[in-house]
Amino acid sequence: MSKDRTTKATNPFDSDSDTEKEVPRNSTQSSYGSSSYGSPFADNKARYRNDFRDSGGIQNQSTQELESYAVYKAEETTQKVNDCLRIAEDMREGASKTLVQLHQQGQQIERTHLTAVDIDQDLSRGEKLLGNLGGIFSRKWKPQKNRPIKGPMLARDEAFAKKGSHMEQRQRLGLTDAKTRSNPRDLPTEPASSLEKVEVEKMKQDDALDDLSNILGELKEMAQDMGSEINRHTEALGHVEKDVDELNFRVRGANQRARKLLGK
């Protein structure tokens, strides 16, 4: 076993990515995976770590060595693009969970405000009863009201509500959306020349970049939905606060009336 292989086996931090693992010579990976086509990528990573600076520079290398180096750099670029794509997919998953939480929070705010409306109705009946109670010669009590209880005033974005509800249902069922991937091209199983290998890697990169562009577009839409929904939450909470303050004021007045009646 060579020194490079021994180092890689004992040092888990030698590789920049978990995907940089040796690939068997006769195996191929998925359409976006980095395929070595007979030159293990991990070995070449150690081999070309210094870009020929320790062996006289690029100008002193043979044509075969330069072709192998070109394949390695193409595979390395494919791997980096795939790493970016995986990060974007993770971001999309996190954004989806955030949208579900915002949808649930919006529903909670609405339910809270509807509860305030129910309290207003019960309180109105209590105020009417307190107003009619008293002695024969006592003046009828009339509760003070600064403003009517308006309840939820914001019309929710139906598109966002449907989207959030759908995502929430899928989350509860334990379903996850399949990762959006463009239709992969039919790639040669075993490219014959180094130039063909480089072209294959370029096709993989183009497909991965298309997917990355699509995911970034989705993230932009999600960010816009988040911003709009947060603005609605802020406005809705402002209305809830006003109605709750009014209910507190009326409850204090009703309590004072009840204590006065009990003191007679």
Side-chain angles (χ1 to χ4, degrees):
M1 182 177 292
S2 66
K3 182 178 179 181
D4 289 340
R5 290 180 181 271
T6 303
T7 302
K8 176 170 286 298
T10 57
N11 185 2
F13 301 101
D14 185 59
S15 175
D16 294 335
S17 171
D18 291 336
T19 60
E20 296 176 1
K21 297 180 179 178
E22 183 176 348
V23 181
R25 283 181 178 272
N26 296 326
S27 68
T28 56
Q29 296 181 350
S30 61
S31 60
Y32 295 114
S34 178
S35 175
S36 61
Y37 302 116
S39 59
F41 180 77
D43 288 350
N44 284 338
K45 178 179 175 60
R47 182 180 179 186
Y48 299 123
R49 184 181 299 275
N50 294 322
D51 296 328
F52 302 114
R53 285 192 293 270
D54 297 336
S55 56
I58 293 179
Q59 65 276 11
N60 293 325
Q61 305 306 313
S62 65
T63 301
Q64 183 179 1
E65 188 72 13
L66 292 175
E67 289 178 351
S68 177
Y69 178 69
V71 174
Y72 158 73
K73 295 300 288 185
E75 292 174 348
E76 182 183 46
T77 302
T78 301
Q79 186 181 31
K80 296 302 181 183
V81 173
N82 288 336
D83 289 342
C84 292
L85 183 59
R86 279 188 287 272
I87 292 173
E89 289 171 341
D90 292 340
M91 292 174 62
R92 179 177 61 182
E93 183 179 356
S96 299
K97 293 179 180 179
T98 301
L99 285 174
V100 170
Q101 291 175 351
L102 287 174
H103 173 67
Q104 295 172 344
Q105 289 174 2
Q107 291 179 321
Q108 183 62 41
I109 293 173
E110 186 174 359
R111 288 194 295 268
T112 301
H113 212 164
L114 290 174
T115 301
V117 174
D118 293 338
I119 294 174
D120 171 56
Q121 295 174 353
D122 294 337
L123 182 59
S124 296
R125 288 192 289 269
E127 289 171 336
K128 183 176 181 180
L129 178 61
L130 288 173
N132 292 331
L133 292 176
I136 298 177
F137 301 102
S138 64
R139 178 184 295 182
K140 185 177 180 179
W141 176 73
K142 184 177 181 180
Q144 285 186 316
K145 296 182 180 181
N146 297 322
R147 57 186 296 276
I149 302 299
K150 298 180 179 180
M153 299 180 61
L154 294 179
R156 292 183 56 78
D157 187 344
E158 293 300 327
F160 179 87
K162 291 179 180 179
K163 181 188 299 183
S165 178
H166 174 71
M167 295 173 65
E168 184 177 355
Q169 291 173 3
R170 290 185 64 84
Q171 188 182 63
R172 289 177 178 176
L173 293 173
L175 302 176
T176 56
D177 294 329
K179 296 179 180 179
T180 303
R181 291 286 175 115
S182 59
N183 294 327
R185 316 180 199 197
D186 294 330
L187 303 177
T189 304
E190 192 70 29
S193 66
S194 296
L195 180 60
E196 290 180 357
K197 295 176 184 178
V198 172
E199 290 300 322
V200 167
E201 295 301 324
K202 288 174 62 178
M203 286 189 287
K204 292 180 183 178
Q205 295 164 22
D206 289 340
D207 290 341
L209 287 172
D210 287 341
D211 290 332
L212 180 60
S213 177
N214 292 335
I215 293 177
L216 292 178
E218 294 178 21
L219 289 175
K220 178 181 177 181
E221 293 179 359
M222 289 180 175
Q224 292 173 340
D225 288 340
M226 290 179 195
S228 299
E229 191 65 11
I230 289 174
N231 289 336
R232 293 189 188 94
H233 290 183
T234 301
E235 189 173 355
L237 288 171
H239 290 299
V240 172
E241 183 180 11
K242 291 178 181 178
D243 282 353
V244 170
D245 288 342
E246 175 64 15
L247 289 174
N248 286 332
F249 172 78
R250 288 169 54 187
V251 167
R252 287 196 298 269
N255 287 337
Q256 291 176 358
R257 172 63 178 175
R259 284 195 296 268
K260 184 176 181 180
L261 289 174
L262 292 175
K264 288 185 177 181

